[in-house]
Amino acid sequence: MAGEEKILHVRVTAADTRALRNLLRDERLDVGGGPAPTPGPGDERSIEAFVTEEKALGLEREDVAVHVLGDATAIGRARQEEVGTGDRFADPGIVPHGLGQKVKDQSREG
Amino acid sequence: MYLNITEVDSALVNLSGAYPSLCELIDLPETSVEGVACHALRLRADPDGGPRDCAVFIGGVHAREWGSCEILVFFAADLLEAYSTGSGLVYGGKTFTAAQVAALLEGLDIVVFPLVNPDGRQYSQTVKAMWRKNRNPEYSTGVGDCVGVDINRNYDFLFDFATAFSPLSDVRVSADPCDPQVYQGPRPFSEPETRNVRWLLDEYPRTRWFVDVHSFSEDMLHVWGDDENQSDDPDMNFQNSAFDGTRGVDGDTAYREFVPKDDLDSASGLARHFTEALEAVRGKQYTAKPAFDLYPTAGTSDDYAFSRHIVDPDKGKIHAYTIEWGTEFQPPWAEMKLIAKDVCAGLVQFCADAPSTVTD
């Protein structure tokens, strides 16, 4: 959509739990999921967030690093191309099927 | 491809038409803010049988978490087709026998409400993919981010968060109508979408389990979401104003939310059964944990559902959960189908095991 502000998908990594908690309280980030320990030694904790480019730059500080994972706006536009158009179930006779395999067994007999 | 909002609804209508003896189409009492009619399905075999315990599943609350609707449509479709053909269900490495499927539909009422927030989904799928809230323009300028309420902050649980929570808490809720994500609304149940969910819980008073399907973080969350759990001090609870201003701080002892040990064991056990079945499909490891471990919240569906019997002892106890599927809000559709298989296996196991957890 023309004019839509670009949103980045970022991973924010803080030196420890307290630093991340302070950041979340102060910055009101749009997060996906919750804080998680960063692999490897040390107390680093990270969280994924969705922020503007300007906000991403503003998050960087001594005990906080920001790593860009992707362009959430561009990914969102691409995914919108994967949404059905019209109504694939407009015919009442078309019944949706789930993804499980239906397998006959003997367990209901007798 | 993902379902658009018309397709989510017509999928439910067609399922009810294809399996009239196994399911009933439920008209929710309120349309969405933009006037979209909402439907749910009740699944039960032997429809003339007596009252039964009920499990309610909702999805499509947060607009951008698209796959939640598909998961619940597939879940209902799988159960109906398997039962009607006398089949079992296989999801990758996880198998349910025909007898297990039959026992489930003959022993429980299963209510599936896949699209709570149709206006938000429509906006996310056609305009701004990252949109989360509903599309109510009434509480501010009605422009840009100043539209909409976060449905999953609009329930009646510690709604007055400024009083209830510590100023040190990073509780994920806002009273600002222009907050782009977590505006709670002007009062509990201000939104028709939230009232529809409450109506389901009231309409099916034997609801004992409630699951709200969200993304993302690969978790199966159980109560509580406002603070850490404790089972030793019943007076330290969400109704006790003596603890106002202390809630929502991680790692402290000033406040922890009371939950009886039996309830906690039941809630965490069933959550683990879900994750174990899910992992059997293709090895994905979800974590069963209290919702507070994600972040502190107020006004969420799961805490509201479980708190109902505490606030009003005439209401039944509902064990309440939030699924956070996947690692992104909108995976490519090919990946979303794999995630849906994982979660459907977990949901079938959840329903199969839920009745055995009833002790009262």
Side-chain angles (χ1 to χ4, degrees):
Chain A
M1 178 190 178
E4 185 179 353
E5 190 171 29
K6 182 155 99 175
I7 301 295
L8 298 177
H9 182 188
V10 300
R11 178 178 292 119
V12 181
T13 302
D16 53 30
T17 301
R18 179 178 294 276
L20 186 60
R21 195 181 300 148
N22 290 342
L23 181 83
L24 292 174
R25 189 183 61 233
D26 297 341
E27 297 291 346
R28 310 295 303 171
L29 299 178
D30 177 16
V31 298
T38 303
D43 298 326
E44 287 186 345
R45 306 269 293 177
S46 64
I47 194 164
E48 292 183 28
F50 299 88
V51 295
T52 62
E53 286 180 297
E54 182 184 4
K55 179 91 168 180
L57 289 170
L59 293 175
E60 296 267 11
R61 57 195 72 176
E62 188 179 342
D63 56 357
V64 175
V66 178
H67 175 65
V68 177
L69 300 174
D71 179 345
T73 304
I75 291 170
R77 283 194 201 112
R79 295 294 183 268
Q80 286 172 338
E81 299 298 315
E82 294 194 74
V83 176
T85 55
D87 184 357
R88 285 169 279 173
F89 303 107
D91 178 345
I94 299 176
V95 181
H97 296 279
L99 299 171
Q101 280 181 269
K102 285 75 185 175
V103 178
K104 296 279 189 182
D105 60 39
Q106 309 302 311
S107 63
R108 273 178 79 177
E109 294 179 2
Chain B
M1 297 186 89
Y2 283 96
L3 301 172
N4 61 46
I5 68 163
T6 301
E7 291 174 327
V8 174
D9 197 62
S10 49
L12 293 188
V13 172
N14 290 6
L15 282 172
S16 70
Y19 304 101
S21 64
L22 294 178
C23 65
E24 169 195 10
L25 191 67
I26 300 167
D27 292 313
L28 274 299
E30 299 199 50
T31 63
S32 68
V33 167
E34 294 181 341
V36 177
C38 299
H39 289 112
L41 277 185
R42 184 188 69 164
L43 281 56
R44 69 149 39 194
D46 185 19
D48 297 328
R52 298 174 182 174
D53 288 343
C54 179
V56 172
F57 299 85
I58 69 169
V61 169
H62 286 149
R64 63 191 179 187
E65 301 162 12
W66 296 351
S68 303
C69 303
E70 284 81 354
I71 286 169
L72 292 180
V73 170
F74 289 151
F75 172 58
D78 272 342
L79 290 177
L80 292 166
E81 184 176 351
Y83 185 88
S84 67
T85 59
S87 304
L89 281 167
V90 178
Y91 299 97
K94 182 65 186 175
T95 297
F96 300 94
T97 66
Q100 285 177 299
V101 171
L104 195 155
L105 279 179
E106 291 167 3
L108 274 180
D109 278 356
I110 297 174
V111 172
V112 177
F113 182 16
L115 182 48
V116 172
N117 177 15
D119 306 342
R121 182 179 178 90
Q122 167 77 1
Y123 190 72
S124 173
Q125 290 188 328
T126 60
V127 183
K128 192 171 182 179
M130 288 294 287
W131 192 258
R132 169 181 164 108
K133 301 181 286 182
N134 75 355
R135 293 294 300 163
N136 194 338
E138 290 296 318
Y139 307 123
S140 183
T141 62
V143 175
D145 288 339
C146 301
V147 172
V149 170
D150 182 346
I151 300 304
N152 203 30
R153 299 294 184 275
N154 190 236
Y155 293 89
D156 192 5
F157 181 80
L158 293 177
F159 194 83
D160 181 7
F161 70 92
T163 299
F165 283 76
S166 164
L168 299 176
S169 171
D170 56 334
V171 59
R172 288 265 301 153
V173 63
S174 173
D176 175 5
C178 296
D179 186 291
Q181 311 301 335
V182 289
Y183 173 49
Q184 62 177 174
R187 59 194 171 278
F189 295 107
S190 60
E191 305 310 292
E193 295 88 353
T194 324
R195 292 195 295 271
N196 277 339
V197 177
R198 180 180 62 182
W199 179 86
L200 274 180
L201 299 182
D202 291 340
E203 187 72 6
Y204 295 93
R206 292 196 55 166
T207 298
R208 286 183 176 270
W209 303 276
F210 172 84
V211 180
D212 193 349
V213 183
H214 287 257
S215 76
F216 64 87
S217 65
E218 297 187 328
D219 291 318
M220 176 54 148
L221 307 174
H222 57 81
V223 294
W224 294 99
D226 63 315
D227 208 310
E228 290 160 302
N229 293 325
Q230 54 89 13
S231 299
D232 298 323
D233 184 359
D235 291 334
M236 190 183 281
N237 67 69
F238 66 94
Q239 293 182 293
N240 190 342
S241 60
F243 293 98
D244 283 352
T246 66
R247 298 181 179 90
V249 178
D250 185 21
D252 74 342
T253 55
Y255 186 82
R256 295 185 176 195
E257 192 63 55
F258 177 72
V259 53
K261 186 175 184 307
D262 287 351
D263 287 339
L264 183 57
D265 290 346
S266 176
S268 58
L270 198 50
R272 278 196 306 276
H273 292 184
F274 169 90
T275 62
E276 288 162 4
L278 186 152
E279 184 176 357
V281 178
R282 58 173 177 138
K284 285 288 178 184
Q285 293 185 325
Y286 281 42
T287 304
K289 62 184 184 182
F292 181 76
D293 284 8
L294 196 61
Y295 39 69
T297 55
T300 60
S301 64
D302 48 6
D303 281 349
Y304 164 71
F306 185 66
S307 71
R308 282 164 55 101
H309 79 285
I310 301 168
V311 174
D312 179 358
D314 289 337
K315 288 188 163 64
K317 183 190 299 177
I318 301 172
H319 285 291
Y321 302 82
T322 298
I323 294 169
E324 299 278 359
W325 53 261
T327 58
E328 54 185 320
F329 294 124
Q330 296 138 7
W333 176 240
E335 170 64 16
M336 188 64 235
K337 284 196 288 186
L338 298 177
I339 293 169
K341 264 191 190 178
D342 293 338
V343 178
C344 283
L347 292 178
V348 175
Q349 187 73 59
F350 182 95
C351 289
D353 291 343
S356 68
T357 66
V358 174
T359 57
D360 54 344

